[in-house]
Every structure is written in structure tokens, then in C-alpha cells.
Amino acid sequence: MIFLEEKPAKAIHRLQLTDRKRGCLTGVKDVNSFDEKEISLVTEGGTLTVKGENLHVTRLDLEKQEVDIGGKVDSLDRKSTRLNSSHLEQS
């Protein structure tokens, strides 16, 4: 007898940032925390921290794994679920 194991498809995560003021993210599993200076999100690829000024979550749909944010974005910091990480910053 042969058993086939179906592996769950890995969801795509995407970040689109427009003029450092509006952002749309997909692949978001949960929101760790948010305030005017920092938004921390759990994504398919790890934890994403958005830092800036007057930040706010304008739309949250965890069923679709989508989040829209607003405010002035200064930096993005991603901590991968793997051992590597990357940091993007613009001043």
C-alpha cells in the first residue's frame, strides 16, 4: 500500500510600499504589536518590523493574510524563521 503525503503550499508574502507613506503586505499571519512608531508583524517568512512616524494599521484581514499600513515609514527589519536575517533602512 502506498500513502501520499500532501505538503501544504507555502504562501507567498509580498510588501508594496508607496512613497514611504502607504504599504500593503500579504502573507501576514499575525500582528505582534503596533503603535505610532513601530508595527511588528508575523509573516510567512518571519517577523517584519516597520519603524517610522504616525504609523497605523488601516486594514487587517488575517483570513486573507493581508495588512495595509499608513504613516511615514523609515525602516523595515526582517527576522527570518531561518538563521539569516536582513535589514533595510533609508534615512
Side-chain angles (χ1 to χ4, degrees):
M1 190 179 288
I2 298 175
F3 294 97
L4 297 176
E5 183 178 329
E6 187 175 320
K7 294 182 181 180
K10 188 173 182 178
I12 295 173
H13 57 280
R14 179 178 305 143
L15 171 102
Q16 180 179 357
L17 186 61
T18 305
D19 295 331
R20 293 177 58 191
K21 295 179 184 173
R22 292 184 314 271
C24 178
L25 299 96
T26 63
V28 176
K29 294 177 163 183
D30 200 3
V31 177
N32 281 335
S33 63
F34 66 94
D35 59 31
E36 290 184 340
K37 295 187 181 232
E38 183 176 291
I39 300 172
S40 177
L41 305 167
V42 178
T43 72
E44 292 289 338
T47 301
L48 176 68
T49 303
V50 180
K51 293 184 181 181
E53 299 173 18
N54 300 316
L55 297 175
H56 49 276
V57 175
T58 57
R59 186 179 68 90
L60 173 63
D61 187 335
L62 290 179
E63 275 188 35
K64 292 182 180 179
Q65 295 190 339
E66 298 174 346
V67 174
D68 292 346
I69 62 171
K72 182 185 174 219
V73 176
D74 291 328
S75 70
L76 304 168
D77 187 21
R78 182 182 64 85
K79 300 284 190 237
S80 177
T81 52
R82 298 182 196 125
L83 293 177
N84 62 354
S85 67
S86 64
H87 179 74
L88 305 171
E89 187 169 335
Q90 182 177 1
S91 49

